[in-house]
Amino acid sequence: MKPKQEKAFGWRNYSRHFIIYMSDAGFHFALDGKVGGLTLPNDGECHLDDQGYYTHSEVVNEFFPGGSVGTLASDSRNIIELVRSSYDKITSEIQLVDTVTAPIHVTYSAYCDGETLTPNSQNCSNIRLGNVIKFKLDVSVDECTTNPNPLEKITGKFCNCDNFSCRRDSADLICGGPSKGTCVCGQCECKPGYSGPDCSCPTSIENCLASTGKECNDAGHCECGVCMCNATLVYDGPTCEDCDTCPAKCDRNRDCVQCLAYGTGISEEKCQECPQRIILVEEEELIVNGTDPCTYKDELGCLFSFNFVMNGTMEVILVQKITSCPEGIDALWLAIGIIIGILLVGLALLLAWKIATYIYDKREYAKFLKELENARTDAYDYDVS
């Protein structure tokens, strides 16, 4: 009731409020109940007892819970007694009511004297001031509400669980989809091999293994199937192997490839530490996706080549089966070649010496002739004089 109305009635704070209704109204006209919104038609019965009294006066309790109904004498002499008895009845009785609907059910048990249990009872009577009253309520649910989507279920003792409010992955799949996890009571339960709040992270480090076989090349750590490279180092890339200031990939793998494939190069002890996985193939199989292979020359001058390829999630090295070495030279022909070479060198030296002596002799002979001519000229001049 509003404060303005309470003030008009003169009720004190925390006082009990009673409404006493008395009526001697006459019969109403047919169909006038429709004006008041009454749509249920009268059954046509008088509803009188053997003494001629109306039997449905208790219906008022359905409209006013906790109300009381009495019969007023024709001269109204019992009005005070009716009010007193109704007051005593109302103030000495406690009844718990609820407004729940299916599928929720409430079962009441009463301790009207504070100790003795009265099952399936929601009211206590003959209560006096100072009495301690206890009630026990059991609330149960027959079934939880359903969603329009038949795959979405609500479960739990208190309907507090479901299979659709869990975290979703980047593809908007609940718990990464059925292959990665399931939603149980709002939390993702990941299947073996996956982890994380949405089960999108693989627990395997297979995707993080470098060509060296080490996790993120020992330059980072694997997180959710992705390498997180150490920011203090110079490596980056999918497996923390890329390095702009480091030796080329071919150079880094050369020694291990040579010793693993051919047993040459570095020592056997160091070779056992090589983690590379190699596959021996024919030379024509070394060109992968248009990429030219790495080619080096060993200590004997033989050429060997190798290339890199992904085998699933693991990088392997394709290595040329047989090195390409210069063809061998027959010893006899080598000896003959050496002899012929010596002869040719000797002939060349002899020819050079012969030419040199010829030129020298020619010069000396020309000098002799000139001196001889000079001597003749001097003799002729002497005779004349």
Side-chain angles (χ1 to χ4, degrees), residues 248-259 261-262 276-283 285-288 291-297 303-309 316-321:
K249 190 174 185 180
C250 291
D251 294 338
R252 295 199 306 269
N253 291 274
R254 171 188 176 176
D255 292 338
C256 283
V257 167
Q258 183 178 346
C259 77
Y262 312 114
Q276 287 85 343
R277 293 169 173 81
I278 67 170
I279 299 177
L280 298 177
V281 298
E282 301 295 337
E283 185 176 0
E285 299 180 56
L286 291 177
I287 298 179
V288 180
T291 304
D292 292 331
C294 310
T295 302
Y296 291 94
K297 182 181 294 186
L303 297 177
F304 65 94
S305 301
F306 57 91
N307 209 340
F308 305 90
V309 65
V316 297
I317 303 177
L318 304 180
V319 184
Q320 179 182 345
K321 281 185 178 180

Side-chain angles (χ1 to χ4, degrees), residues 22-272:
M22 295 179 293
S23 174
D24 58 353
F27 294 101
H28 61 81
F29 296 99
L31 302 179
D32 64 357
K34 288 187 177 181
V35 179
L38 301 178
T39 58
L40 184 64
N42 189 277
D43 59 7
E45 301 293 333
C46 294
H47 300 285
L48 301 176
D49 60 13
D50 294 338
Q51 298 179 355
Y53 288 102
Y54 186 54
T55 59
H56 277 44
S57 60
E58 295 293 337
V59 175
V60 68
N61 289 328
E62 298 179 8
F63 299 97
F64 300 102
S68 177
V69 178
T71 303
L72 188 65
S74 58
D75 58 357
S76 301
R77 64 180 181 274
N78 63 338
I79 185 172
I80 295 177
E81 183 60 29
L82 287 176
V83 172
R84 182 181 290 111
S85 62
S86 296
Y87 177 81
D88 291 341
K89 180 180 178 181
I90 293 172
T91 56
S92 63
E93 183 177 0
I94 295 177
Q95 182 180 12
L96 297 184
V97 296
D98 60 71
T99 59
V100 300
T101 58
I104 301 175
H105 300 281
V106 181
T107 302
Y108 297 86
S109 297
Y111 295 85
C112 293
D113 59 359
E115 297 181 358
T116 305
L117 173 65
T118 305
N120 299 319
S121 176
Q122 61 189 93
N123 64 291
C124 292
S125 55
N126 300 321
I127 305 301
R128 294 291 180 265
L129 186 65
N131 292 153
V132 177
I133 310 299
K134 297 180 181 180
F135 287 94
K136 178 183 177 182
L137 280 68
D138 293 321
V139 181
S140 61
V141 180
D142 292 341
E143 62 180 7
C144 301
T145 57
T146 58
N147 287 349
N149 187 343
L151 298 178
E152 295 181 352
K153 306 288 185 182
I154 299 177
T155 57
K157 183 178 180 180
F158 303 105
C159 296
N160 58 330
C161 293
D162 63 66
N163 67 343
F164 55 86
S165 63
C166 294
R167 294 279 294 272
R168 296 172 180 263
D169 63 6
S170 57
D172 200 34
L173 296 176
I174 298 175
C175 298
S179 63
K180 297 182 179 179
T182 55
C183 183
V184 179
C185 202
Q187 296 292 327
C188 285
E189 290 189 358
C190 302
K191 293 186 177 181
Y194 296 94
S195 64
D198 56 3
C199 298
S200 62
C201 293
T203 56
S204 171
I205 63 171
E206 186 176 2
N207 293 336
C208 296
L209 293 179
S211 60
T212 59
K214 299 179 180 179
E215 178 183 341
C216 299
N217 198 33
D218 278 347
H221 65 280
C222 189
E223 184 176 307
C224 198
V226 178
C227 278
M228 307 299 292
C229 302
N230 192 332
T232 61
L233 302 178
V234 295
Y235 294 96
D236 58 9
T239 54
C240 302
E241 291 183 274
D242 298 341
C243 176
D244 294 336
T245 60
C246 299
K249 190 174 185 180
C250 291
D251 294 338
R252 295 199 306 269
N253 291 274
R254 171 188 176 176
D255 292 338
C256 283
V257 167
Q258 183 178 346
C259 77
L260 291 172
Y262 312 114
T264 60
I266 59 177
S267 65
E268 182 178 355
E269 182 180 351
K270 290 184 178 180
C271 189
Q272 292 177 352

